[in-house]
Amino acid sequence: DKITAVVPAAGVGSRMAADRPKQYLLVAGKTILEHTIDRLFCHPAIQRVIIAISKTDPYFSALPLATDPRITLVDGGAERADSVFAGLAAIDDENSWVLVHDAARPCLQLSDLERLIATASLSECGAILASPVRDTMKRGFVQSPDKPQGIRETVDRENLWHALTPQMFKVKQLRDSLQHALEQGAVITDEASALEFCGYVPQLVKGRADNLKVTQPEDLALADFYLQQLTK
Ligand code: CTP
Ligand code: MG
């Protein structure tokens, strides 16, 4: 069955602090956004990608992707969730599956994509790629404004995961959940959190830790390395 992908790409990349949004930085010969879209089209079920970009984006139209008939553009919003919501609105069949993937995650491997799709397709409430937490986890607290935080406690990492993307859901379930969560003022930083807010239980699919979200300048060299490995 066909799966539509929605790619939020309307962020400004404030933590990267480059001369342009990070999805337009060059890594391993192409922009990060181009790598990300290529990775998605590796899967035969993904034949349409909806990209949310900023209304004032001057960069996308210069890419070869701009004339790809499989791609639809929508205007992104103020927050990531708004951009995703705008992308969902461009999907007609609300009983189909949608896969949401950050523009800033160019190192997605086909094997992870395949396992996510296999698990989500059989699920009631969708599934997300995630990687188990490796480090010991601490909860800090502000002791005083002029001192480093103190340690309140060690958080049991037994069932702790990093939420990655892609995240895959039925279009109607995700659209309704996002709408409800946003209306209620919930803090929504990924798609699954909107479903959780509505009482649904999406599933965790163990994915590779190198599916990093390029966030800070030092991530560029890592992404470059992983992409060289992928394309070898
Ligand atoms: N995104 C979006 N619309 C927004 C904010 C973010 O489509 N209003 C997208 C980004 O382009 C990115 C993904 O959501 O592909 C994940 O967001 P993040 O890594 O936080 O990117 P930025 O918001 O651009 O970076 P920063 O938070 O450092 O400003
Ligand atoms: Mg952000």
Side-chain angles (χ1 to χ4, degrees), residues 7-16 21-23 52 76-81 83-84 101-105 213-215:
V7 174
V12 295
S14 55
R15 287 168 287 181
M16 183 63 73
K22 60 190 179 183
Q23 56 273 26
E79 303 292 335
R80 182 184 175 286
S83 297
V84 171
H101 185 52
D102 289 324
R105 291 187 194 270
K213 187 168 71 162
V214 177
T215 303

Side-chain angles (χ1 to χ4, degrees), residues 102-142:
D102 289 324
R105 291 187 194 270
C107 307
L108 172 65
Q109 298 225 3
L110 180 58
S111 53
D112 270 8
L113 190 50
E114 285 170 340
R115 279 182 311 104
L116 173 70
I117 290 173
T119 301
S121 302
L122 298 174
S123 72
E124 291 288 312
C125 306
I128 76 170
L129 282 183
S131 75
V133 161
R134 299 173 173 188
D135 301 306
T136 299
M137 304 301 282
K138 304 292 187 190
R139 187 185 314 282
F141 72 104
V142 180

